[in-house]
């Protein structure tokens, strides 16, 4: 759905559910099957995006990806632009726009004058939004600005976990939610251990995708 969907959507899933891994694969796939589309990947800070850009680069270089590209296009896949903030391949060599296939930015980066066919936000809501109302409002303002960056017929796909009942997820459309009990990725014993290491409200938000009233609850 990250690759072929058309509507703005939101995926909420618990910590450790491979959301970002799926997103890395999807961005690589989009660059291959829709090489003229421009994708933006946004996280909370610029430094948060670098590991994902590096991961996508490794996906491009893998022999499995190379075999797929050769089967489709009868040519090898080559990186024509590769740095900490963007990636492009030879598949977009004839694009007159010249901008990178995949760009990344933190929410405080410059957005002026940029336009994208696909925008992916990943964990733009984090622990800062939990404790700071100013941070929550700033995140919301940046998210609303993304609507101006989205090309006609483009889409915004959001992934992450909730941190506060008034965070930016209140603005994000078409939510799909998968908590720690639905996915089966974490055993009951592991969940018990995780729960014992954090406050009840934090576990509820990040693993059960729900909000409880206070950090000062008496009982779990």
């Amino acid at each position: 759905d990250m690759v072929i969907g058309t509507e703005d959507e939101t995926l909420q899933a618990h910590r450790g559910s491979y959301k970002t891994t799926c997103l890395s694969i999807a961005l690589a796939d989009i660059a291959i099957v829709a090489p003229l589309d421009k994708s933006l990947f946004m996280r909370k800070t610029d430094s948060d995006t670098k590991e994902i850009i590096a991961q996508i680069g490794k996906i491009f270089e893998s022999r499995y990806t190379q075999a797929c590209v050769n089967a489709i296009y009868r040519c090898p896949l080559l990186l024509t632009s590769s740095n900490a903030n963007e990636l492009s391949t030879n598949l977009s060599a004839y694009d007159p726009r010249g901008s990178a296939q995949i760009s990344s930015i933190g929410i405080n980066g410059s957005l002026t004058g940029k336009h994208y066919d696909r925008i992916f936000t990943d964990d733009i809501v984090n622990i800062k939004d939990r404790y700071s109302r100013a941070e929550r409002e700033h995140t919301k303002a940046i998210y609303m600005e993304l609507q101006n960056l989205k090309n006609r017929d483009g889409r915004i796909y959001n992934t992450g976990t909730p941190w506060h009942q008034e965070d930016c997820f209140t603005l994000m459309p078409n939510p799909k939610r998968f908590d720690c009990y639905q996915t089966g990725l974490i055993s009951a014993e592991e969940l018990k251990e995780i729960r014992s290491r954090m406050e009840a409200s934090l576990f509820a938000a990040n693993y059960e995708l729900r909000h409880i009233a206070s950090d000062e609850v008496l009982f779990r």
Side-chain angles (χ1 to χ4, degrees):
D1 187 53
M2 290 178 178
V3 176
I4 65 174
T6 57
E7 301 296 322
D8 287 3
E9 292 190 46
T10 303
L11 172 64
Q12 282 190 356
H14 64 83
R15 292 288 169 192
S17 56
Y18 302 102
K19 301 181 299 297
T20 305
T21 302
C22 291
L23 181 51
S24 298
I25 296 169
L27 281 164
D29 286 348
I30 290 166
I32 293 168
V33 302
L36 299 186
D37 281 6
K38 306 303 178 185
S39 298
L40 174 68
F41 172 69
M42 174 176 279
R43 293 188 104 181
K44 197 67 161 178
T45 68
D46 290 330
S47 59
D48 291 337
T49 67
K50 292 178 181 179
E51 61 179 303
I52 307 306
I53 292 296
Q55 189 175 68
I56 297 169
K58 290 180 180 179
I59 293 170
F60 284 150
E61 292 169 355
S62 79
R63 62 191 180 94
Y64 302 104
T65 304
Q66 291 290 333
C68 288
V69 170
N70 189 61
I72 297 169
Y73 295 106
R74 295 292 187 265
C75 71
L77 180 66
L78 304 174
L79 285 172
T80 56
S81 174
S82 176
N83 59 47
N85 301 308
E86 64 181 38
L87 292 169
S88 284
T89 72
N90 56 319
L91 302 181
S92 65
Y94 299 104
D95 182 2
R97 289 181 290 179
S99 51
Q101 286 181 279
I102 303 170
S103 301
S104 68
I105 196 171
I107 65 170
N108 291 317
S110 174
L111 300 174
T112 305
K114 295 179 171 64
H115 298 282
Y116 300 95
D117 302 294
R118 303 163 188 257
I119 298 172
F120 292 89
T121 73
D122 181 48
D123 286 333
I124 63 169
V125 177
N126 70 7
I127 195 168
K128 294 180 181 179
D129 299 80
R130 179 174 177 80
Y131 297 110
S132 169
R133 180 177 181 181
E135 185 69 26
R136 291 194 294 274
E137 295 305 314
H138 176 63
T139 304
K140 289 178 181 179
I142 296 300
Y143 177 75
M144 288 187 285
E145 177 62 21
L146 293 180
Q147 298 295 333
N148 294 323
L149 274 63
K150 181 177 69 172
N151 288 332
R152 288 189 296 273
D153 299 324
R155 74 185 302 221
I156 299 176
Y157 195 104
N158 309 292
T159 58
T161 50
W163 286 89
H164 191 277
Q165 60 267 30
E166 297 176 359
D167 64 29
C168 191
F169 279 109
T170 60
L171 302 179
M172 295 176 178
N174 302 321
K176 297 177 181 177
R177 296 183 176 91
F178 298 90
D179 64 33
C180 60
Y181 309 113
Q182 290 174 278
T183 64
L185 292 170
I186 307 176
S187 69
E189 292 76 17
E190 289 177 294
L191 282 175
K192 184 177 180 180
E193 175 64 20
I194 293 169
R195 190 193 300 266
S196 71
R197 296 197 303 263
M198 64 180 65
E199 58 196 32
S201 60
L202 190 58
F203 179 85
N206 277 199
Y207 288 88
E208 298 175 325
L209 308 182
R210 66 187 184 91
H211 298 289
I212 57 180
S214 171
D215 294 342
E216 304 303 326
V217 291
L218 292 175
F219 304 107
R220 293 194 185 280

